[in-house]
Amino acid sequence: MTDREEQILSWIKQNPMISQNELAELAGITRSGVAAHISNLMKKGYLRGKGYIVTPPSYVTVIGGINMDIFGVADENVVDKSSNAGHVYYAVGGLGRNIALNLRKLGIQNYFISVYGDDNNGEQFKADALANDMDITYSKQFADTNSSTYLYVNQPGGDRVVGLDDMSINDRITPEFLEDREDMINNSTAVVIDSNLPQQTIEWLYEHCQRPMFAKAVSVTKAGRLLKGIGHLNTLVLNAVESKTLSGIEATDKHTAIQAAQRIIDKGVNNVFLYIDEVGMLYQDERHQLFYPEQKINQRNTNGAGAAATAALVWAHKNEMSFEDSGQLANAAAYLSMESIQAVNENLTHRTLELKRHELFE
C-alpha cells in the first residue's frame, strides 16, 4: 500500500460514508485521483466498496469542541510573573469530546459532531477516537487548518490559575454545516451541546432540535452564547463563574447558587446543575433543590468535572432515573473526574459511577 493509499484508507475508516469530494479536499488532489486510489485499494483487498452503517436503535448526539489540551500542574502554589516547578501534560480533550467519551464509557451510543484540522493534533484525535470506540462519522476534518488547542495551568490541588484557548476552527460548525446532519440530530434520544459553538449555531439548534437538549456552559466569554433562546434547554450545567453571565447573580454559596439557578429556571430551563469550587454542587428544578457540600477527595484536575456531570445527567435521563438519583450521579461523576489527572477518568463505567454515588451518599 502506498503512503497516499494508507492516508485515504485511514480517512475512510474514520468515516465510511465520506465522499470522494471530501477525500479530495483533505488530500489536496482531484476527485478522479481519489477514485483511482480507491480503485487500487479495492483491487488490493483493503476495501469492498462504499460502507453503509446501521444506525444504533437508540443514540445521543453530542455537538461541541475538540482540543489538544496542554496543561501544567504546579508542585506548589503558583507565584505570578515567575517560573514555577511542576509537570506538563499533553492530552486529547475538548468539552464536546469529553462528554462524548464519558457517555461511551457509560455505555451510551453517541455520534459526536465536531471539526478538526489535518495537523498532527487532528491525527491524534482520530487515533484517540478509534481507540475509544467513539463514532465521529458526522465530524469533519478540514485541510490546511489547525485543530483547536487549549493551554492551562493548575494549582497543585487542581484549581485553574489561567487558561488560553485557540479555537477559531469551531466557527466552521455553522448552521449550514448542521443542516446536512439535521435528520440524524432529530433521530437522537437527546442532544448535548457546549458553548464553544458559534452563537448563531446555538440559536439554530434551539429552533430546529426536536429532542431534549442538554448544554454545558464554557467560560465567561462564551457562556453568553447560550442566552438567546435558553428556554429550549432541558438541562444546563455551569460553574460559579458562568452563573453571573447567565443569571445576573454570581454564585458564591448555597444561597446565591439557589438564586442563580432559579433565575435560569425562570427563563425556561427545566434543570440546572451548578458547581462552586470549594463550596459544593446544586441540582435544581422548579420544585426541588438538592445541594451537596464539597467533600474532601484526592483532587487532581478540575478540568473535566462539568463534562462528566453532563454525561451522568444524560445517562440518568436516558434511564428514567429520579431527580434525586440524577443529582447524586452527576455529583459522583464530577468527583470521579476530579480524581483523575486526565479530563476523563479512564476507570469510569456505570458500575464505578454507582459505587462512587454510594460512597458519597450512603
Side-chain angles (χ1 to χ4, degrees):
M1 190 188 319
T2 66
D3 289 344
R4 177 65 81 187
E5 289 168 357
E6 186 174 0
Q7 184 183 47
I8 289 174
L9 183 60
S10 173
W11 286 325
I12 292 172
K13 284 180 178 178
Q14 287 296 323
N15 180 4
M17 296 303 294
I18 193 169
S19 70
Q20 290 189 3
N21 285 332
E22 289 173 315
L23 287 169
E25 181 182 351
L26 287 170
I29 60 178
T30 64
R31 182 181 178 280
S32 59
V34 168
H37 287 302
I38 289 176
S39 177
N40 289 334
L41 286 167
M42 293 175 69
K43 290 176 182 176
K44 295 175 181 179
Y46 292 104
L47 290 177
R48 289 183 293 173
K50 190 172 183 179
Y52 291 91
I53 302 171
V54 178
T55 300
S58 176
Y59 63 89
V60 170
T61 296
V62 181
I63 310 170
I66 301 160
N67 294 326
M68 174 56 68
D69 287 341
I70 306 170
F71 60 100
V73 180
D75 290 340
E76 299 180 1
N77 285 341
V78 172
V79 177
D80 292 341
K81 301 178 181 179
S82 176
S83 176
N84 292 265
H87 300 276
V88 177
Y89 302 88
Y90 298 82
V92 178
L95 184 52
R97 175 265 182 189
N98 291 344
I99 294 171
L101 180 53
N102 276 304
L103 287 171
R104 283 300 299 125
K105 288 184 173 294
L106 291 173
I108 295 182
Q109 294 284 344
N110 66 88
Y111 288 120
F112 177 40
I113 300 177
S114 192
V115 293
Y116 55 101
D118 63 348
D119 55 356
N120 182 61
N121 291 343
E123 294 304 313
Q124 286 191 55
F125 162 69
K126 288 198 301 183
D128 176 81
L130 185 64
N132 287 294
D133 193 28
M134 292 175 59
D135 196 316
I136 59 171
T137 300
Y138 295 95
S139 292
K140 184 172 181 178
Q141 185 173 32
F142 285 91
D144 301 319
T145 305
N146 290 329
S147 300
S148 175
T149 305
Y150 183 43
L151 171 69
Y152 63 95
V153 176
N154 281 356
Q155 297 283 18
D159 292 332
R160 184 72 34 79
V161 177
V162 67
L164 180 67
D165 66 64
D166 181 1
M167 302 181 179
S168 59
I169 191 174
N170 291 328
D171 292 340
R172 299 189 183 222
I173 309 177
T174 62
E176 292 74 22
F177 178 80
L178 294 183
E179 281 174 358
D180 292 337
R181 297 154 172 81
E182 184 175 354
D183 288 342
M184 181 277 296
I185 292 170
N186 282 322
N187 283 330
S188 311
T189 56
V191 175
V192 189
I193 65 172
D194 69 48
S195 60
N196 283 309
L197 301 177
Q199 183 169 339
Q200 63 176 350
T201 302
I202 293 172
E203 292 174 10
W204 183 89
L205 282 162
Y206 284 161
E207 292 298 321
H208 292 83
C209 180
Q210 301 168 14
R211 300 300 182 187
M213 190 180 301
F214 294 68
K216 171 65 183 77
V218 183
S219 80
V220 174
T221 57
K222 297 177 182 177
R225 298 175 182 179
L226 296 168
L227 269 173
K228 188 176 179 181
I230 196 171
H232 287 86
L233 294 178
N234 175 281
T235 299
L236 173 65
V237 177
L238 72 164
N239 64 26
V241 177
E242 296 148 357
S243 65
K244 187 171 183 179
T245 301
L246 293 171
S247 72
I249 298 171
E250 184 175 357
T252 57
D253 54 23
K254 177 181 177 181
H255 178 68
T256 52
I258 291 171
Q259 287 184 318
Q262 188 58 53
R263 284 272 186 93
I264 294 169
I265 290 166
D266 289 343
K267 297 177 187 291
V269 178
N270 293 348
N271 308 288
V272 174
F273 186 88
L274 197 165
Y275 54 102
I276 311 171
D277 290 342
E278 300 181 359
V279 175
M281 306 184 196
L282 171 74
Y283 189 46
Q284 184 168 325
D285 69 4
E286 191 63 57
R287 296 179 298 160
H288 308 93
Q289 297 168 354
L290 299 174
F291 184 80
Y292 311 99
E294 184 171 283
Q295 301 195 32
K296 297 299 181 183
I297 63 167
N298 180 26
Q299 181 174 295
R300 304 182 70 192
N301 187 358
T302 60
N303 185 41
T310 304
L313 289 169
V314 174
W315 186 67
H317 172 82
K318 184 174 175 59
N319 287 283
E320 300 181 347
M321 293 188 171
S322 69
F323 183 84
E324 182 176 7
D325 286 345
S326 299
Q328 290 181 357
L329 286 164
N331 194 281
Y335 278 118
L336 277 173
S337 172
M338 289 187 285
E339 291 172 352
S340 169
I341 194 65
Q342 301 295 338
V344 177
N345 191 321
E346 63 179 10
N347 297 318
L348 176 66
T349 64
H350 60 84
R351 176 169 173 75
T352 59
L353 181 58
E354 288 283 7
L355 287 172
K356 176 57 72 173
R357 179 166 76 104
H358 285 295
E359 175 190 322
L360 293 170
F361 300 108
E362 295 187 7

